[in-house]
Amino acid sequence: MSIKHVHEYRDGELARQITGAIKKIATHDMRLMEVCGTHTMSIFRHGIRSVLPRQITLLSGPGCPVCVTSQRDIDCFIALASFENTIVTTFGDLMRVPGTVSSLQQEKAKGCDVRIVYSVFDAVEIAAQNPDREVVFCAVGFETTTPTVAASILMADQRHISNFSIHSAHKTTPAALGALMETPGVKIDGFLLPGHVSVITGTSGYKEVFERYRVPSVIAGFEPVDILTAVLMLARQYESKAPALENAYARAVAEEGNMKAKEIMARVFEPCDATWRGIGVIPQSGMALKPAFSSFDALGRFDLKVVDSGEPKGCACGEILMGLRTPESCPLYKRSCTPAHPVGPCMVSSEGSCAAFYRYQG
């Protein structure tokens, strides 16, 4: 099957054929996790859950960059905004995420200089235009965004912009898959792997974790036919007891990934231990600035005094990110936690599973 044009990715008849094939193959209960917030939203938007056989349960995993950011990192972003003569720059999704006592949006309302940017390069330009002020970028995200942030560091270094820094909360995807497989109570029969992260990592980025755990794994694009095709491939693997690492997004993902992006990322960042919301510390799953670029590390510039307060009481975001619970089973869902008054990040982010459930399932 060759798909080259957009309308083919949304072809209703083709989607029905694939769905029919899934129903014929799926005879056992299986829990498939989409490891990407964009997949979660696409699955809801196109009603994919409703056409799959009851044997297949889709779980939303730790693929939303805002949702997996630890409470301590959120508190650090908020604390940075309180420093005098500082401009904090961020993507819009982080603005309303509640910290322990405040949010970036609330700090802005108090008079702190917090600005939404659409690219980290905008933050570099703000620094260039305000040489007498410190400009900090809240750096969250996976392999998709880390190379761009690395490029911004190289740009600032080349232009001798010394008032620009980042607080890195970057994370890498394959390490999280391994951590999930070793978490007691977690049951995952297949991974729907993220398309845009895989553009950078390539299929090869998952080989080590696949060889270790032998869980059916398929890289998928984001259109309905892409996702259904990947589900069909996962069902075939699971039913035949022949786990494999396959690529259903070959039009965008190569075996080796984007070598240039990986080179830039490796030039600026190095692996470090990182704390994931709900999962805890995963060794070597974060990205810290290399010593050669430590002058761009906000933690080295500011005297931050942030206490690790833990996650909001009663919030189940962590368990939801691991597939241990669904948003509807959280006691706060649609009660004290709503899009207007979110308690946890999964209700805030445009890629959060709670926000998706609330928007599409009511």
Side-chain angles (χ1 to χ4, degrees):
M1 179 173 58
S2 176
I3 300 176
K4 298 179 181 178
H5 307 290
V6 172
H7 74 273
E8 293 177 287
Y9 310 148
R10 300 182 179 183
D11 183 279
E13 179 54 34
L14 181 55
R16 277 188 288 275
Q17 292 176 16
I18 298 170
T19 304
I22 293 171
K23 290 177 178 175
K24 287 181 180 177
I25 288 175
T27 59
H28 296 86
D29 291 342
M30 63 187 82
R31 293 161 59 87
L32 308 180
M33 174 175 278
E34 76 264 9
V35 192
C36 178
T38 308
H39 274 151
T40 298
M41 295 305 293
S42 186
I43 286 167
F44 275 105
R45 186 180 302 119
H46 297 290
I48 290 176
R49 286 171 180 263
S50 65
V51 301
L52 293 178
R54 62 170 179 78
Q55 289 88 348
I56 294 180
T57 299
L58 294 180
L59 307 169
S60 300
C64 161
V66 171
C67 302
V68 299
T69 300
S70 71
Q71 189 77 356
R72 180 180 174 78
D73 283 328
I74 298 294
D75 286 341
C76 284
F77 296 147
I78 294 167
L80 287 165
S82 67
F83 279 85
E84 191 176 353
N85 207 35
T86 298
I87 302 171
V88 166
T89 56
T90 177
F91 295 141
D93 270 9
L94 271 176
M95 287 293 286
R96 296 178 61 242
V97 176
T100 302
V101 296
S102 184
S103 68
L104 287 173
Q105 187 179 54
Q106 289 172 318
E107 294 304 302
K108 182 178 178 65
K110 292 176 185 175
C112 296
D113 197 343
V114 181
R115 305 184 189 182
I116 294 175
V117 293
Y118 296 97
S119 163
V120 63
F121 297 110
D122 295 340
V124 176
E125 287 306 318
I126 291 172
Q129 294 164 12
N130 296 272
D132 57 338
R133 302 184 66 185
E134 286 289 332
V135 177
V136 184
F137 179 70
C138 304
V140 303
F142 300 104
E143 293 89 340
T144 317
T145 53
T146 310
T148 309
V149 177
S152 77
I153 298 293
L154 295 176
M155 173 190 283
D157 190 40
Q158 186 177 35
R159 293 174 60 182
H160 305 293
I161 298 174
S162 59
N163 61 323
F164 172 72
S165 62
I166 68 167
H167 174 43
S168 177
H170 288 298
K171 294 176 175 61
T172 55
T173 306
L177 306 183
L180 284 174
M181 295 308 299
E182 296 192 2
T183 300
V186 171
K187 183 180 185 306
I188 299 169
D189 301 313
F191 284 118
L192 197 72
L193 297 174
H196 35 34
V197 163
S198 304
V199 169
I200 304 300
T201 66
T203 311
S204 60
Y206 305 100
K207 279 188 176 177
E208 183 175 341
V209 70
F210 172 76
E211 291 297 333
R212 184 166 186 176
Y213 299 100
R214 306 295 295 179
V215 179
S217 304
V218 176
I219 297 169
F222 300 98
E223 298 296 343
V225 169
D226 285 324
I227 294 170
L228 288 169
T229 299
V231 170
L232 175 60
M233 294 165 74
L234 287 171
R236 280 176 177 155
Q237 290 185 32
Y238 185 72
E239 292 289 350
S240 63
K241 296 182 173 54
L245 172 59
E246 296 183 293
N247 181 9
Y249 198 30
R251 66 181 184 277
V253 176
E255 168 69 20
E256 71 278 8
N258 185 324
M259 296 302 293
K260 182 64 176 177
K262 289 199 284 190
E263 186 274 327
I264 292 173
M265 192 160 52
R267 186 174 165 191
V268 175
F269 290 102
E270 61 186 8
C272 65
D273 295 350
T275 301
W276 297 58
R277 184 179 291 266
I279 300 175
V281 176
I282 303 178
Q284 301 295 286
S285 68
M287 299 297 281
L289 287 165
K290 284 187 168 179
F293 299 99
S294 61
S295 62
F296 293 98
D297 189 347
L299 293 183
R301 293 193 185 197
F302 297 88
D303 183 22
L304 282 181
K305 293 181 172 58
V306 175
V307 177
D308 194 350
S309 62
E311 296 169 22
K313 187 177 181 181
C315 176
C317 280
E319 294 168 283
I320 292 168
L321 291 169
M322 292 188 288
L324 293 170
R325 299 181 71 160
T326 64
E328 294 156 310
S329 69
C330 174
L332 308 187
Y333 178 72
K334 293 177 68 174
R335 295 180 178 87
S336 57
C337 185
T338 65
H341 301 285
V343 175
C346 293
M347 186 59 89
V348 181
S349 174
S350 61
E351 296 185 351
S353 55
C354 296
F357 266 75
Y358 193 97
R359 179 175 181 181
Y360 291 101
Q361 295 200 172

